[in-house]
């Protein structure tokens, strides 16, 4: 994850933004802010967001609409989202939010200790996942695996012990193996 990646806090109320920034400041992460769903989407699409704290009900584009859009775009579909609501527990909202893959739904006013714990876990996990994906990509590039296997599969070497049967070719199904035996 790039070093300029940050946690984006989105709410249409300035006092809520300030309270959330104050609650997360002790973590030492870079924080960004947006006051609308449109503004949040622009920042997310720039690729600089590693976690989104998002108010559900905002004028214009709602928090749920932001999440729906993010889940349709490959570059943003895995960014963890914590939805914030000040309207109490709502079964329909909860079902919709978790159906969209939201990491958590938090009621306002927010407990700063609980929020910091959730944010630390989700943000760090997301960063580690991206770092692992980048390392796998780098290693595949070094070994030439990603291009070689996609265009020309490597021939399988015979096993030194002739009694060991040949391994099933990559992607072969049981039916294809039966054809080979007859």
């Amino acid at each position: 994850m790039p070093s300029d990646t940050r946690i984006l806090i989105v709410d249409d109320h300035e006092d809520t933004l300030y309270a959330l920034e104050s609650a997360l400041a002790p973590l030492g992460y870079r924080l960004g802010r947006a006051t609308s769903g449109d503004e949040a989407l622009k920042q997310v699409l720039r690729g600089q967001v590693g976690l989104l704290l998002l108010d559900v009900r905002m004028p214009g584009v709602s928090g749920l609409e932001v999440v729906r859009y993010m889940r349709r775009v490959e570059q943003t579909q895995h960014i963890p989202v914590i939805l914030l609501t000040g309207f109490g527990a709502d079964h329909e909202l909860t079902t919709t939010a978790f159906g969209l893959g939201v990491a958590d739904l938090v009621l306002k006013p927010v407990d700063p200790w609980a929020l910091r714990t959730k944010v630390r876990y989700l943000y760090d996990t997301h960063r580690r996942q991206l770092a692992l994906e980048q390392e796998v990509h780098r290693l595949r590039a070094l070994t030439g695996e990603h291009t070689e296997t996609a265009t020309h599969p490597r021939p399988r070497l015979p096993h030194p012990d002739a009694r060991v049967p040949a391994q099933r070719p990559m992607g072969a199904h049981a039916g294809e193996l039966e054809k080979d035996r007859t």
Side-chain angles (χ1 to χ4, degrees):
M1 185 176 296
S3 61
D4 62 344
T5 303
R6 63 183 180 267
I7 296 168
L8 182 61
I9 304 167
V10 185
D11 199 293
D12 56 320
H13 293 99
E14 196 68 33
D15 56 337
T16 304
L17 285 172
Y18 178 76
L20 292 168
E21 287 172 335
S22 297
L24 297 177
L27 294 176
Y29 299 135
R30 290 191 62 220
L31 302 175
R33 59 166 41 202
T35 56
S36 70
D38 286 332
E39 188 181 342
L41 279 172
K42 287 176 187 174
Q43 290 191 42
V44 167
L45 290 172
R46 285 186 199 123
Q48 301 169 338
V49 176
L51 174 72
L52 192 62
L53 266 72
L54 181 62
D55 187 24
V56 173
R57 295 192 175 125
M58 294 181 290
V61 179
S62 75
L64 287 174
E65 290 171 313
V66 170
V67 176
R68 279 188 189 99
Y69 184 83
M70 287 174 58
R71 297 308 184 230
R72 291 191 310 254
V73 177
E74 186 177 346
Q75 77 186 56
T76 63
Q77 63 188 208
H78 298 294
I79 295 173
V81 176
I82 297 175
L83 280 179
L84 305 167
T85 183
F87 292 96
D90 174 351
H91 178 71
E92 185 178 331
L93 171 61
T94 302
T95 302
T96 303
F98 288 118
L100 290 170
V102 168
D104 204 355
L105 181 62
V106 175
L107 300 177
K108 297 179 199 174
V110 175
D111 174 0
W113 289 98
L115 183 64
R116 280 193 291 269
T117 301
K118 291 173 186 190
V119 164
R120 182 183 307 118
Y121 174 78
L122 289 169
Y123 188 68
D124 289 349
T125 300
H126 184 65
R127 286 178 28 187
R128 283 192 297 274
Q129 177 67 31
L130 287 179
L132 283 172
E133 288 172 8
Q134 289 173 349
E135 183 66 9
V136 166
H137 182 70
R138 185 186 72 77
L139 291 172
R140 284 184 177 159
L142 284 174
T143 63
E145 178 182 313
H146 71 290
T147 55
E148 188 175 308
T149 57
T151 56
H152 302 19
R154 290 186 210 150
R156 296 204 179 268
L157 297 175
H159 194 280
D161 185 348
R163 295 172 293 177
V164 175
Q167 292 182 343
R168 173 181 9 194
M170 297 288 282
H173 299 292
E176 293 171 337
L177 291 177
E178 291 301 318
K179 291 179 200 171
D180 293 341
R181 290 185 192 163
T182 55

